[in-house]
Amino acid sequence: MPDRWEPAAFKARVDEAVHHFVAQEAEQLAAIDPLLGPVADQVEAAVADGKRLRAAFCYWGWRAGGQPDSDALLRAAASMELVHAAAVVHDDLIDDSPLRHGRPTAHIALRGVVRRRPHATADARSLAMLVGDLLMSLAGQLFATSGLPAAYLARARPLWSVLARELIAGECLEILRTGDRPDTTESLKVIRYKTAKYTVEQPLLIGGALAGAGERLRAGYSAYGLPLGEAFQLRDDLLGLFGDPERTGKANADDVRGHRPTALLAETWRLAGDEERERLAALLGSHDLDADGLDEVRAMMCRLKAPDRVETMITERVEEALGVLRELNAPAPAAAALTELARSAAVRLS
């Protein structure tokens, strides 16, 4: 790969590595019994799409540590995308989300397999849970068999338990905070652990550990990665409610219907008066929320300028991340790529 950052070329390389590896694993799963064919299909479907940001941060964590381009490293970085796929399958299951990338989520798609069973919905959810579990296991397998020297892999292996622990902590916190009185501080904590760490910080740290990066560079990765990861999820929250479903591929009523602890809802609550809070409380968590109710929530948010406040939070975090990057004195190609990644992660339409 040339030193100049070419996102499309990088994505194509990661796609090839991920699709090839998962297709082989799905084929072996389906070979056990014909009944497993649809489950294997969902394993492949889970990795079909994606921006491959996590792989990119891992790759540039390696390159910023002074290492050259490497196909083995690219396979190790691609394992971050299987972690993401596992998290998405589980997240959609927890949130009961019907769509992802414009297609039925795993637990919805798998209903067709068990539709004649007395507990079809529960059975489909169980199958989806196992799809997510398998994807997380496959992430470790792809990493371990990437082709990097065993000594390199050993440097990064402890970070995998940190990644898993913090990701699960974030998912648990979201569940435990769902339905609570909205609070911006608590919402940001959920964001940090559920998304920011495994999206930016941990991939960078794993790439850096593989490269043998020093303590100063690793500290810089965290100082850059955490605010940028938060900005990424704050943008996601805005897109989730105000984005075009044709672009985002997701239903945009999910956060309101689920009364999820997003910073956007928390800021709306903080800025609202007593009457507005009373109305908002009636709408949040309403599973029969219709288009008019959703429009009412959006209108209230805009009237209170909550989206503007979240935009400011995004800008502040991206600027913080870029300020840290400037102080790192990373090799020019890595600095350029991480600068572009910072901007594209927080300014996007899907």
Side-chain angles (χ1 to χ4, degrees), residues 13 17 58-59 62 68-79 142-149 152-153 210:
R13 289 177 73 191
C58 185
Y59 177 88
W62 161 272
D69 179 55
S70 160
D71 287 337
L73 182 279
L74 185 120
R75 286 190 291 274
S79 69
L142 179 56
F143 183 81
T145 61
S146 62
L148 287 172
Y152 287 34
L153 297 173
L210 291 169

Side-chain angles (χ1 to χ4, degrees), residues 113-136:
V113 180
V114 292
R115 63 184 179 278
R116 293 187 177 88
R117 295 177 178 270
H119 306 293
T121 299
D123 288 347
R125 292 176 66 84
S126 297
L127 290 172
M129 177 185 68
L130 294 168
V131 167
D133 291 347
L134 178 57
L135 285 163
M136 186 62 85

